Amino acid sequence: MDVTNDTLMLIIAVTILAIYGVVVTVLLYRQRAAAGKTAEVPAPGRQRPVAASEQDKERLFAQRADDALKLTTTFQKFIPRQFVDHFAKHGKTELALGYADEDEVAILFCDIRGFTGLSEQMVPQQLMSFLNSYFLRMNEPIHQNRGFIDKFIGDAIMALFDHPGGNASQKATDALNAALDLRKALALYNEHRKKSGYEPVDIGIGIHFGPVIIGTVGSEDRMDTTVIGDSVNIAYRLETLSPIYHADIIVSATTLNVIDSANSRATRLLDWVRVKGRQAPIEIYEVLNHLPDEQQQEKIAADAAIRAGIKMRCKQQWQEAIDLFEEARALSSHDNLASLHIAAIHQLKETTLGPDWDGAIVVETIHPR
């Protein structure tokens, strides 16, 4: 059957009107249904619904408060509460991009030794499970000593200790106590790993106290809190020295100097070094309190000879320095420190030193014989 153009246009128009009518009907139905939920008209003989009871209101308010608490708790997993508290005490009412403030804190870096080789033996899911199990155990010693984790960097932990309302001694003491508690937590973790048939893991810790810049960085759609400065670099570099010196906990002299005598710990001088990213050399020490008594006594017995040997090295009196380090090695035969110093002397003897050489060494270039 032939269909004229006029007939075709009429069919299209009727079809459009029919579709339009259906859409309008559906919208009116939805609007009435929504209105019926909020303002139902009672049938004759029925009572109008009463307002929500006080108990209903209390339940609603409690639910909203619970939701807000859960949201706050979730955000604190990404932005530590201590950061927000720090901003608040300086009169900041919101966490805005570009905020910066200077403060003195103790910084602690903790890293798993030999992590690269360990990770190569695991499939991805095993690696994530291991890291989460490890971090879970390392978290508590930090929080129990008034510190907080600033960030996880692969297998490393960066923690800050600002002891709200406390002084420099309290901040540094908190960090030192946390380091010793981390060693205790590691020992318990390794017992668990042994029972499960896994190899033990070891960690190195570096601590420094000093000024840092605390602030926010990023962009309008992605912001993060951060801590930067020379003090952060020093703490990180001290941790990287721990496997070289075979020391579990390395602290700077600055850290020990701010701790009052009542909170002092057993330590020994390791070296006078220049770390990467810093011109001025620093004196570094090993914390001994977590070690067995016999091992502590050996290291302390050799401390005087180590100190004297470093002084001779600074004066470029090579043979006198070697003799003193040999004496230290005899007093602490299981210790690697004297051998490291002797290797440094042999390398320095073959190096042309400038007139302004201050006796500090770059440890990464020294290889014990």
Side-chain angles (χ1 to χ4, degrees):
M1 179 176 62
D2 295 334
V3 181
T4 64
N5 289 337
D6 292 340
T7 303
L8 181 60
M9 294 299 295
L10 179 60
I11 293 172
I12 293 173
V14 170
T15 303
I16 292 174
L17 286 173
I19 294 172
Y20 178 77
V22 171
V23 171
V24 171
T25 302
V26 171
L27 291 175
L28 287 173
Y29 174 78
R30 289 182 176 177
Q31 185 177 8
R32 288 175 181 174
K37 292 179 181 179
T38 57
E40 181 182 353
V41 178
R46 291 178 57 190
Q47 293 182 348
R48 183 178 296 273
V50 297
S53 67
E54 290 301 319
Q55 289 183 340
D56 290 337
K57 289 181 180 179
E58 289 178 3
R59 282 196 294 269
L60 180 62
F61 295 157
Q63 179 63 42
R64 293 292 182 267
D66 186 52
D67 291 344
L69 180 61
K70 288 180 180 178
L71 185 62
T72 300
T73 303
T74 299
F75 275 119
Q76 286 178 2
K77 293 178 181 179
F78 296 92
I79 301 178
R81 176 183 53 79
Q82 290 86 344
F83 264 111
V84 180
D85 291 345
H86 181 90
F87 297 159
K89 75 180 182 181
H90 290 277
K92 300 295 180 181
T93 58
E94 61 177 321
L95 202 62
L97 182 65
Y99 169 78
D101 187 54
E102 191 171 14
D103 199 358
E104 285 192 322
V105 299
I107 308 106
L108 179 151
F109 272 91
C110 177
D111 195 26
I112 299 176
R113 292 182 182 172
F115 176 73
T116 301
L118 184 66
S119 64
E120 290 174 348
Q121 302 172 18
M122 303 181 189
V123 298
Q125 187 56 53
Q126 286 177 320
L127 181 59
M128 288 299 104
S129 296
F130 161 69
L131 282 176
N132 286 325
S133 176
Y134 165 75
F135 287 144
L136 181 65
R137 289 164 171 81
M138 298 296 106
N139 177 72
E140 197 61 24
I142 292 170
H143 284 276
Q144 287 296 324
N145 287 285
R146 289 175 288 273
F148 64 96
I149 295 175
D150 173 50
K151 56 178 61 72
F152 298 105
I153 311 169
D155 62 302
I157 298 172
M158 175 182 169
L160 305 177
F161 297 82
D162 63 348
H163 199 112
N167 56 31
S169 176
Q170 290 170 313
K171 295 176 183 181
T173 300
D174 287 343
L176 205 56
N177 289 340
L180 293 170
D181 287 344
L182 284 170
R183 295 298 308 184
K184 294 177 184 177
L186 181 70
L188 293 173
Y189 180 44
N190 279 331
E191 287 182 11
H192 169 74
R193 287 181 60 82
K194 183 178 180 180
K195 292 177 182 177
S196 301
Y198 297 118
E199 293 294 321
V201 296
D202 200 4
I203 60 174
I205 298 172
I207 301 173
H208 179 67
F209 176 85
V212 297
I213 297 173
I214 300 175
T216 54
V217 295
S219 61
E220 293 180 353
D221 59 348
R222 178 65 175 91
M223 184 179 70
D224 197 5
T225 54
T226 191
V227 177
I228 58 176
D230 183 50
S231 298
V232 177
N233 176 60
I234 293 174
Y236 168 69
R237 297 300 177 185
L238 295 189
E239 185 281 317
T240 63
L241 295 181
S242 66
I244 298 175
Y245 283 98
H246 294 258
D248 299 327
I249 305 170
I250 296 181
V251 299
S252 62
T254 305
T255 305
L256 296 179
N257 289 340
V258 300
I259 296 177
D260 56 49
S261 58
N263 293 306
S264 62
R265 299 291 184 269
T267 61
R268 67 151 175 178
L269 178 65
L270 287 177
D271 212 341
W272 173 246
V273 301
R274 181 171 285 105
V275 298
K276 288 183 179 179
R278 193 172 196 265
Q279 284 299 317
I282 58 175
E283 212 172 44
I284 60 174
Y285 289 79
E286 177 184 11
V287 179
L288 307 174
N289 294 78
H290 65 291
L291 298 174
D293 290 341
E294 183 179 350
Q295 195 172 352
Q296 287 190 46
Q297 294 305 317
E298 271 194 14
K299 291 188 174 186
I300 291 174
D303 184 56
I306 292 291
R307 288 174 180 271
I310 294 174
K311 287 182 179 180
M312 291 298 104
R313 183 187 76 196
C314 293
K315 295 177 180 180
Q316 300 186 34
Q317 297 180 6
W318 307 129
Q319 191 54 52
E320 290 84 348
I322 290 175
D323 291 342
L324 286 163
F325 291 135
E326 289 288 5
E327 178 185 336
R329 184 154 60 180
L331 291 169
S332 185
S333 58
H334 301 95
D335 188 12
N336 180 70
L337 182 59
S339 298
L340 180 67
H341 281 294
I342 292 171
I345 295 295
H346 286 301
Q347 289 185 225
L348 288 170
K349 287 168 64 176
E350 300 172 0
T351 304
T352 302
L353 302 172
D356 58 345
W357 184 69
D358 55 13
I361 61 173
V362 179
V363 184
E364 289 86 346
T365 64
I366 304 299
H367 303 285
R369 296 186 177 184

